Amino acid sequence: MHVAGTIRVPGDKSISHRVLLFAAMARGTTRIGGLLTSLDARSSARVLRQLGASVSPLVAGRVIRIVGRGRLRRPSAALYCGNSGTTTRLLFGLLAAHAFPATLTGDRSLRRRPMRRVTEPLAAMGAKFVEHGGGGLLPITVRGGPLHPLTHRMPVSSAQIKSAILCAGLAGEVPVSVFEPRGRSRDHTERLLRAFGYQVEDDGGWVHFRPTGRVVPFDLQVPGDPSSAAFPVAAAVLAEGGEIRISGVCLNPTRTGFLRVLERMGAGVLSDGVEAQHGEPVGDLIAAPSALRATEVRAVEIPGLIDEIPMLAALATRAEGTTVFRQVGELRVKESDRLGLVARNIRALGGAAEVVGDDLLVHGGNRPPSGLVRTEGDHRIAMAFAVLGTVPGARVRVDDLSCAAVSYPGFPEMLRRLRRRPR
Ligand code: S3P
């Protein structure tokens, strides 16, 4: 395939969730341009409406208005978070400081994901949790109240755990400190908190928060999602000719680990015109076809590219040599067991991959991929293998591409438009 043109990707998912939650905590009207309108973003908007905020309909290309009331209100029904782990875990943090009960639940995938990593530290701050089915799984009722300060060592480097605790510190007006054991996870929450005047300091893996600020209504433009941009970037890398530009992508260094790995693999991906916008570096990505070689992705790099591993693993099937992703056990508790599912799907397409302990090994080759991909409803698995299906001679069928709408509305159309004939 040949690729051409300039595209935009949808608004960043992590930033979209955070601005919705913070806008609901502010008293007054916030206006957000470029907000993600995917199913996950809709889950955040829906539950925040149940909690008393007014959120205008999430229509792509429109400025979204959120009217917050300064605090959240007691909901009259359970809060259904759909497929969204970020909605669930960050909301637990805010609700931990609110003196009413609220029950959170979600779809089958979300009801399998571990919540104690968040509920245990929040319980240590003073919130009460009731697990309806046990095992640390949703549905869970939280009853918040006045909170104590917390110093917490996280079991894994996770932006969702870190942000849940920071949200509790913000809503409960108490200091918190969290330690990330291995590598830095995305820092959008810290950046937004600083913009509201909170003291947030990084110190050798620790993040220290002091309740010195106040959440007030704001105007913000959400940049493009680098995790979504990874798919057209990969499609261009795998193409036979041409070049694409993806404009207005968030290039926060805690999110662009995949670009550094692609560079080691020999891919020609450049960033251009990077400038600070609303506290985040934003710029264009230019990607072109490249021959790939294998690399080793070290454990400290994993938090900075955690969501890009399915795409990088699919690319590694086309590289010369064996690519190793070290210590990627966290992938087992994503929207699916991504670790097992990535390896199984690579094999289902005639490639070679295996899981050894918590490492993922992908052997490269030249044979065009052929076969059926099982997504288990996981959006990033669906998109990664749909992109792999664009290599010349491939015959890849993805059992369910509709789940791409969890994070990337219009993904199938984008992929079709990229496949332009050379002029
Ligand atoms: C996210 C954090 C990551 C990531 C998820 C979004 C966030 O999860 O996988 O897609 O917005 O904070 P973990 O914190 O569980 O690693």
Side-chain angles (χ1 to χ4, degrees):
M1 113 170 157
H2 287 259
V3 291
T6 298
I7 64 167
R8 280 190 169 273
V9 289
D12 187 77
K13 182 152 83 70
S14 294
I15 297 176
S16 293
H17 286 303
R18 287 157 173 78
V19 295
L20 284 169
L21 292 166
F22 288 158
M25 290 292 292
R27 188 185 297 280
T29 305
T30 289
R31 289 179 187 78
I32 308 295
L35 192 89
L36 180 64
T37 60
S38 76
L39 296 178
D40 266 12
R42 286 171 198 278
S43 289
S44 279
R46 184 178 57 244
V47 298
L48 289 170
R49 289 186 193 110
Q50 287 181 266
L51 290 163
S54 136
V55 184
S56 65
L58 264 50
V59 179
R62 272 216 213 139
V63 171
I64 309 303
R65 259 176 80 246
I66 302 119
V67 186
R69 299 180 194 282
R71 299 290 287 173
L72 303 177
R73 292 199 177 164
R74 181 178 183 152
S76 57
L79 303 168
Y80 178 72
C81 299
N83 193 244
S84 180
T86 310
T87 306
T88 310
R89 294 188 175 128
L90 272 57
L91 203 53
F92 271 136
L94 291 180
L95 290 170
H98 287 78
F100 54 72
T103 301
L104 273 62
T105 189
D107 70 7
R108 243 164 55 104
S109 152
L110 191 59
R111 281 186 275 114
R112 278 198 298 254
R113 299 181 68 183
M115 293 298 155
R116 283 190 190 152
R117 46 179 58 196
V118 165
T119 60
E120 282 176 356
L122 296 176
M125 294 178 77
K128 304 265 183 295
F129 292 89
V130 177
E131 296 174 357
H132 297 277
L137 305 178
L138 297 180
I140 294 174
T141 299
V142 52
R143 180 188 281 273
L147 297 179
H148 319 294
L150 180 77
T151 297
H152 181 66
R153 282 180 180 270
M154 298 193 285
V156 289
S157 292
S158 155
Q160 291 182 357
I161 308 177
K162 176 176 68 177
S163 298
I165 294 168
L166 290 170
C167 282
L170 164 127
E173 297 175 34
V174 289
V176 293
S177 294
V178 284
F179 180 74
E180 300 209 81
R182 194 194 286 138
R184 208 65 226 276
S185 67
R186 63 198 68 192
D187 66 353
H188 307 296
T189 306
E190 294 93 304
R191 287 172 187 252
L192 282 165
L193 288 172
R194 286 190 194 107
F196 291 123
Y198 290 96
Q199 193 183 322
V200 185
E201 280 167 15
D202 293 320
D203 174 20
W206 283 94
V207 175
H208 302 291
F209 166 89
R210 297 279 169 281
T212 51
R214 202 160 75 90
V215 185
V216 290
F218 53 102
D219 284 358
L220 189 139
Q221 181 70 29
V222 178
D225 194 323
S227 299
S228 296
F231 300 109
V233 161
V237 167
L238 292 174
E240 293 156 284
E243 178 183 285
I244 60 161
R245 178 182 283 263
I246 308 169
S247 54
V249 182
C250 177
L251 296 175
N252 177 321
T254 63
R255 297 291 300 283
T256 52
F258 76 103
L259 293 176
R260 293 184 282 278
V261 169
L262 283 177
E263 193 181 336
R264 295 207 298 272
M265 293 178 83
V269 185
L270 302 172
S271 50
D272 185 41
V274 183
E275 55 177 44
Q277 285 177 23
H278 303 279
E280 295 276 354
V282 180
D284 293 358
L285 290 176
I286 301 164
S290 321
L292 298 174
R293 53 179 178 269
T295 189
E296 175 173 339
V297 184
R298 288 167 296 128
V300 292
E301 295 183 274
I302 299 302
L305 48 72
I306 185 77
D307 292 339
E308 288 65 69
I309 294 171
M311 190 65 261
L312 288 171
L315 284 175
T317 66
R318 314 300 301 164
E320 196 184 323
T322 297
T323 296
V324 186
F325 298 87
R326 296 281 179 214
Q327 298 297 307
V328 286
E330 264 302 286
L331 294 182
R332 293 194 175 95
V333 290
K334 292 294 177 187
E335 286 84 330
S336 65
D337 166 10
R338 271 188 193 158
L339 182 51
L341 202 52
V342 163
R344 278 200 299 284
N345 279 316
I346 288 174
R347 291 195 297 264
L349 299 181
E354 70 252 6
V355 177
V356 180
D358 282 342
D359 295 349
L360 172 65
L361 275 60
V362 181
H363 309 285
N366 292 324
R367 196 143 44 93
S370 169
L372 175 67
V373 171
R374 296 194 192 279
T375 64
E376 293 184 11
D378 184 328
H379 56 130
R380 297 200 198 279
I381 297 279
M383 292 188 279
F385 286 96
V387 167
L388 186 61
T390 64
V391 306
R395 290 166 59 104
V396 172
R397 206 159 67 77
V398 175
D399 68 357
D400 169 24
L401 194 52
S402 69
C403 60
V406 162
S407 62
Y408 198 148
F411 171 81
E413 295 75 21
M414 178 281 296
L415 205 54
R416 267 200 299 277
R417 275 201 305 274
L418 269 191
R419 306 168 93 159
R420 298 233 179 94
R421 296 272 100 215
R423 267 173 288 170

